[in-house]
Amino acid sequence: MASSSVPATKVESESTTTKPNWLELPRDVTLNILQRLGTIEIISSACQVCPLWWNICKDPCMWRTIHMSKFRYPRHKYSDVDLVKMCRYAVQKSCGQLEDIYIGFFGNDKLLEYIGHSANHLRRIRLIICEYLSDKGFIEAVKKLPLIVELDISHNIHISKDSLEVVGCCCPLLKSLTYGGNMFYNKNVEAFAIAKTMPGLCSLTISGVALDSIGVVAILNGCPLLESLDMLECVLEGDLDESLKKRCCEQIKNCIFPRQLQTGFDYYFDWTGNLL
């Protein structure tokens, strides 16, 4: 008589191919998984999957880090207006717990004003090519963000040395600064602003600005705690004498000189810091 039992190998095969039930995961594990998604993915997709995920996405812990860049998506998928609305939504959901925000290729003064009012525990902020952001808007916002430790304001055409001075005065905990200039101003003005107001800096990356030996000396004197100085994409006017090069190398663990000193050729940059 033939046996009606299912072969053991078939049972094992079926058990190993069974899809996991994501709803049965512990809440903290699901929270950890969702936090690895980008902010836009959480808002546009993850929070709409099921009631459990919707509930988890309401936890302010989900929004301590906000990372949004228009550049990551196909052209015209999200308009600037869409992204600003999503960013405001994410900031609101953080309930004041926001610590780290990255905004790339969109944003304006109104958005930054909202962040300044809603996220006074912010410690890290990166604003990359936000063409509708002005000196005035940035300054008003940064006055409300005294806990900033790391700041990246790369290639924003309207942010000048005036903003740098306010950052230095209003953000005493600042340790790391990345600044991309636009070459619309005279040489050394950014270097003087940094040297005058940011004595606690440990890391400085500057690009698209004009420097000479006086500006470099100002940075060395004004920022004695610097451990990293990257001037690779600065335009060097004149040369640095050997004693100044030696001082840079002795005072700073990681010092990267402008390209002219490394190649002997002059380089010129557009307002985004790219080589012409």
Side-chain angles (χ1 to χ4, degrees):
M1 181 176 178
S3 173
S4 60
S5 61
V6 179
T9 55
K10 184 176 181 180
V11 173
E12 290 176 1
S13 175
E14 290 179 351
S15 64
T16 56
T17 58
T18 301
K19 294 181 179 180
N21 187 347
W22 295 102
L23 298 180
E24 294 180 353
L25 289 173
R27 182 185 175 89
D28 60 333
V29 174
T30 303
L31 175 66
N32 184 275
I33 292 172
L34 293 177
Q35 284 177 325
R36 297 170 188 270
L37 299 175
T39 302
I40 295 175
E41 286 75 19
I42 295 172
I43 295 173
S44 62
S45 303
C47 68
Q48 302 175 31
V49 169
C50 63
L52 174 61
W53 284 21
W54 167 255
N55 185 265
I56 290 175
C57 287
K58 292 193 295 183
D59 190 333
C61 293
M62 280 287 297
W63 310 99
R64 286 179 178 168
T65 296
I66 295 174
H67 190 291
M68 300 181 65
S69 174
K70 185 178 180 180
F71 188 70
R72 292 181 57 190
Y73 302 93
R75 190 178 183 186
H76 304 314
K77 180 173 183 179
Y78 296 108
S79 69
D80 286 11
V81 173
D82 294 333
L83 293 172
V84 167
K85 288 181 179 178
M86 284 192 277
C87 190
R88 286 176 64 98
Y89 175 85
V91 172
Q92 180 187 31
K93 288 297 180 184
S94 73
C95 298
Q97 295 189 30
L98 179 61
E99 297 179 355
D100 181 346
I101 190 166
Y102 169 91
I103 297 174
F105 303 91
F106 75 98
N108 53 40
D109 289 350
K110 287 290 186 181
L111 175 59
L112 207 59
E113 178 184 5
Y114 184 76
I115 293 170
H117 281 297
S118 308
N120 54 11
H121 287 91
L122 198 59
R123 296 178 62 81
R124 185 184 190 200
I125 183 167
R126 289 167 289 171
L127 304 170
I128 313 299
I129 310 185
C130 303
E131 61 178 313
Y132 299 111
L133 186 62
S134 72
D135 247 347
K136 181 179 179 181
F138 178 80
I139 287 171
E140 290 305 312
V142 84
K143 288 178 179 178
K144 301 178 179 67
L145 301 171
L147 300 183
I148 292 178
V149 174
E150 182 177 342
L151 177 64
D152 185 341
I153 41 176
S154 299
H155 316 313
N156 297 288
I157 60 174
H158 302 299
I159 294 183
S160 71
K161 60 95 177 176
D162 295 332
S163 288
L164 293 177
E165 291 178 350
V166 174
V167 167
C169 294
C170 297
C171 305
L173 302 179
L174 188 68
K175 300 298 181 184
S176 175
L177 173 66
T178 299
Y179 175 78
N182 50 48
M183 293 300 298
F184 293 165
Y185 301 96
N186 296 325
K187 66 181 178 183
N188 294 330
V189 292
E190 296 91 351
F192 292 157
I194 292 168
K196 182 172 67 174
T197 62
M198 304 180 189
L201 273 187
C202 296
S203 175
L204 173 61
T205 299
I206 47 176
S207 61
V209 304
L211 284 175
D212 63 12
S213 59
I214 296 175
V216 175
V217 169
I219 291 173
L220 295 178
N221 290 339
C223 307
L225 302 182
L226 271 183
E227 296 180 356
S228 176
L229 174 59
D230 186 341
M231 303 176 286
L232 181 65
E233 295 187 350
C234 292
V235 174
L236 182 64
E237 297 191 5
D239 198 0
L240 304 182
D241 60 44
E242 292 304 317
S243 62
L244 182 52
K245 294 178 188 177
K246 181 179 179 182
R247 179 185 171 186
C248 288
C249 295
E250 291 177 347
Q251 182 173 331
I252 300 173
K253 293 180 181 178
N254 179 33
C255 184
I256 303 176
F257 293 106
R259 290 181 187 271
Q260 293 104 306
L261 293 182
Q262 300 182 28
T263 65
F265 295 98
D266 289 338
Y267 289 84
Y268 299 93
F269 304 89
D270 62 19
W271 68 269
T272 66
N274 295 318
L275 281 170
L276 293 173

